[in-house]
Amino acid sequence: QVQLVESGGGLVLTGGSLRLSCAASGRTFSRNHMGWFRQAPGKEREFVASIRSGTTTYYADSVKGRFTISRDNAKNTMYLQMNSLKPEDTAVYYCAAGQGIIDTTNWNRYDYWGQGTQVTVSS
């Protein structure tokens, strides 16, 4: 069992930055593939970024070059550094974890989810 807790969301102006954190419980963090997803009101959940149990990372085209995903296995924590934020980045951001995932961009492949953290980008 893995429990995930996100933090770091908030209100920021266009062009600003935020860093989201996802703290995980349990001793198997390093074996989990991890991902960030987001959901805006009235829209489907969408992939943002993922990092495999090694260091391979993937990004949605909409955030490539602006967001950076990373993990610190010693701290059981994953991060999402978000720069050059735009109003269309406004959403609830969720972190997710799972093992044995082939397609880490697919939200329904993950076993564990956090409660979400709100990110609002104001123009």
Side-chain angles (χ1 to χ4, degrees):
Q1 190 79 5
V2 176
Q3 292 184 323
L4 304 173
V5 178
E6 303 97 335
S7 61
L11 173 65
V12 65
L13 295 175
T14 297
S17 298
L18 284 174
R19 187 174 84 153
L20 304 184
S21 299
C22 173
S25 66
R27 295 177 289 180
T28 61
F29 178 79
S30 64
R31 297 204 293 267
N32 277 271
H33 306 305
M34 303 292 296
W36 286 101
F37 294 80
R38 66 187 182 188
Q39 189 165 18
K43 295 188 176 181
E44 294 186 353
R45 189 175 309 187
E46 66 172 358
F47 169 73
V48 176
S50 63
I51 183 166
R52 301 192 70 85
S53 57
T55 56
T56 303
T57 58
Y58 304 90
Y59 295 93
D61 287 343
S62 60
V63 307
K64 205 171 292 183
R66 300 188 297 122
F67 291 10
T68 303
I69 189 172
S70 62
R71 64 191 298 164
D72 185 337
N73 289 338
K75 295 183 178 180
N76 277 15
T77 303
M78 174 179 65
Y79 304 98
L80 184 69
Q81 178 66 44
M82 305 187 295
N83 298 330
S84 302
L85 283 161
K86 305 174 180 180
E88 51 264 43
D89 295 317
T90 295
V92 177
Y93 283 70
Y94 298 91
C95 68
Q99 296 187 30
I101 301 173
I102 303 298
D103 181 5
T104 59
T105 70
N106 190 336
W107 67 267
N108 65 15
R109 295 291 186 262
Y110 289 82
D111 300 311
Y112 307 103
W113 290 85
Q115 81 289 349
T117 186
Q118 177 70 47
V119 171
T120 302
V121 184
S122 173
S123 57

